[in-house]
Amino acid sequence: KAGVTQTPRYLIKTRGQQVTLSCSPISGHRSVSWYQQTPGQGLQFLFEYFSETQRNKGNFPGRFSGRQFSNSRSEMNVSTLELGDSALYLCASRRADRDVFGYTFGSGTRLTVV
Amino acid sequence: AQKVTQAQTEISVVEKEDVTLDCVYETRDTTYYLFWYKQPPSGELVFLIRRNSFDEQNEISGRYSWNFQKSTSSFNFTITASQVVDSAVYFCALNLNRDDKIIFGKGTRLHILP
């Protein structure tokens, strides 16, 4: 079966712009989480969506937002980009909440802010 | 507070040697889950193992084995007879039963030299 698909794979943006990243979960998975990976901070939780509702949010500024659609696809948006937002953004999906067996990660979107 | 520590930032071994990756975690919760993930250069996080806090049995899967010791809050990972394809970054992670997010360690970059 198809895995978690993240688009685009690579992105270069200018400081001050905004960006939208997309994540298509595994078919049947209703929960989508987002993580930011940087060399300095490592992997950090951004937020999780389940059935179109944000269930949990990490310690990130309000410039980071997300949403989930009725087909479980999710997007995350970063407004007013800063150089420090350059990172690999990983999405993970699972069948349902509290399903600790089911985290499957995508290959990520590598965002570079110049 | 919850935390995962991987003290080894980078390890290099010659092919066919055994190597152990250390992981120490902190939590006051009694129900939690521990994971190991592998991140090859392509970027995706590949799930290796999940262990719940009530199951301290060691596990072996082919060349991989895991040693979970609650008394020392450690969940170490050993690769036996390492191969060049094992070269990657390995993450130890913690998930609390009452939460959705995964708390990752900073990772250990493993180089297997031919």
Side-chain angles (χ1 to χ4, degrees):
Chain A
K1 60 181 179 181
V4 178
T5 303
Q6 292 189 246
T7 57
R9 284 283 277 135
Y10 301 93
L11 205 50
I12 300 176
K13 288 287 189 178
T14 304
R15 193 171 44 181
Q17 287 186 314
Q18 76 165 20
V19 67
T20 299
L21 312 182
S22 178
C23 172
S24 293
I26 290 173
S27 178
H29 284 199
R30 295 168 62 195
S31 169
V32 173
S33 302
W34 289 89
Y35 289 80
Q36 181 198 62
Q37 185 177 16
T38 60
Q41 298 300 316
L43 279 152
Q44 294 186 288
F45 173 77
L46 279 157
F47 26 65
E48 174 163 11
Y49 287 87
F50 177 74
S51 293
E52 302 178 65
T53 301
Q54 187 180 89
R55 287 169 39 85
N56 203 349
K57 190 178 192 307
N59 189 24
F60 279 82
R63 300 184 296 106
F64 291 81
S65 63
R67 59 178 176 169
Q68 186 180 32
F69 302 95
S70 58
N71 62 357
S72 294
R73 190 178 71 85
S74 177
E75 289 181 347
M76 71 161 272
N77 184 277
V78 188
S79 62
T80 320
L81 284 165
E82 301 177 359
L83 297 179
D85 298 331
S86 295
L88 178 66
Y89 289 88
L90 289 164
C91 163
S93 77
R94 55 180 176 167
R95 287 173 301 181
D97 59 335
R98 301 291 183 257
D99 176 12
V100 293
F101 292 90
Y103 288 104
T104 303
F105 284 83
S107 296
T109 293
R110 187 165 296 281
L111 171 66
T112 302
V113 182
V114 298
Chain B
Q2 287 65 234
K3 188 178 177 182
V4 176
T5 301
Q6 295 179 255
Q8 304 149 309
T9 305
E10 202 157 346
I11 300 175
S12 294
V13 300
V14 177
E15 196 173 18
K16 297 184 183 175
E17 287 185 353
D18 299 347
V19 58
T20 295
L21 309 183
D22 298 332
C23 172
V24 174
Y25 63 93
E26 295 176 29
T27 180
R28 291 185 178 180
D29 285 39
T30 56
T31 304
Y32 52 88
Y33 301 86
L34 295 166
F35 301 81
W36 276 95
Y37 287 90
K38 174 182 179 180
Q39 187 176 45
S42 53
E44 80 274 23
L45 287 171
V46 178
F47 168 82
L48 295 177
I49 190 172
R50 178 198 66 90
R51 172 70 74 225
N52 74 54
S53 53
F54 299 106
D55 183 3
E56 283 194 76
Q57 280 190 332
N58 292 331
E59 180 157 339
I60 298 175
S61 176
R63 297 184 296 106
Y64 296 169
S65 62
W66 291 269
N67 185 336
F68 175 30
Q69 291 193 337
K70 284 181 75 171
S71 60
T72 55
S73 297
S74 65
F75 187 42
N76 296 336
F77 172 33
T78 297
I79 301 175
T80 303
S82 60
Q83 299 177 1
V84 173
V85 294
D86 296 327
S87 297
V89 181
Y90 290 85
F91 290 94
C92 180
L94 169 69
N95 171 248
L96 304 180
N97 187 52
R98 58 178 166 84
D99 202 345
D100 300 311
K101 66 183 178 185
I102 304 173
I103 302 160
F104 288 90
K106 290 293 179 73
T108 297
R109 185 175 296 276
L110 178 63
H111 301 279
I112 308 298
L113 307 173

